[in-house]
Amino acid sequence: QVQLVESGGGLVRPGGSLTLSCQATGGMFAIVGMAWHRQASGKQRELVAEVDSGGTSGDTNYADFVKGRFTISRDYAKNAVYLQMDNLKPEDTAVYYCYADIEIDGGGRRTGYWGQGTRVTVPS
């Protein structure tokens, strides 16, 4: 059973930094891509950043509202993804969710998995 375990959320002042971590555990053939989404209170969940398996470190994509401030990275050996968040703003306050697109058995079928979420609070 695949599980995504997140850590690293917390309370940080505006302009501060946090690093979120997410590790996938359990039986799997390959992780095709990983991403971070977030959901603020009363709002829909939105994509923050994603990284696939292209190249040596994966091709990345960022939402416009985090470009230049957040960096997503993968550790293939650990089945992990990280989100370095710099220059945090009050509007970054949300629950951040890890997502992984996983091929379980090598047969080509892929399944998406979500972590439990980790809260990031940036007071105004």
Side-chain angles (χ1 to χ4, degrees), residues 60-119:
T60 58
N61 179 52
Y62 295 91
D64 286 343
F65 52 79
V66 302
K67 282 182 180 177
R69 300 189 298 124
F70 291 10
T71 303
I72 190 170
S73 61
R74 281 181 68 173
D75 185 328
Y76 288 88
K78 295 182 179 180
N79 290 331
V81 65
Y82 307 98
L83 187 68
Q84 173 66 40
M85 306 185 292
D86 297 318
N87 190 20
L88 282 160
K89 304 176 181 180
E91 51 264 43
D92 294 318
T93 295
V95 177
Y96 284 71
Y97 296 91
C98 176
Y99 175 82
D101 182 8
I102 294 176
E103 189 175 337
I104 294 296
D105 57 12
R109 186 180 65 178
R110 291 150 57 172
T111 302
Y113 293 86
W114 291 93
Q116 80 283 359
T118 184
R119 183 173 298 276

Side-chain angles (χ1 to χ4, degrees), residues 26-59:
M28 67 192 83
F29 177 75
I31 299 178
V32 178
M34 302 187 83
W36 289 96
H37 292 69
R38 72 184 187 186
Q39 187 167 18
S41 180
K43 296 187 178 181
Q44 290 189 330
R45 192 171 298 189
E46 59 186 357
L47 175 68
V48 175
E50 58 189 347
V51 56
D52 65 14
S53 299
T56 57
S57 57
D59 295 323

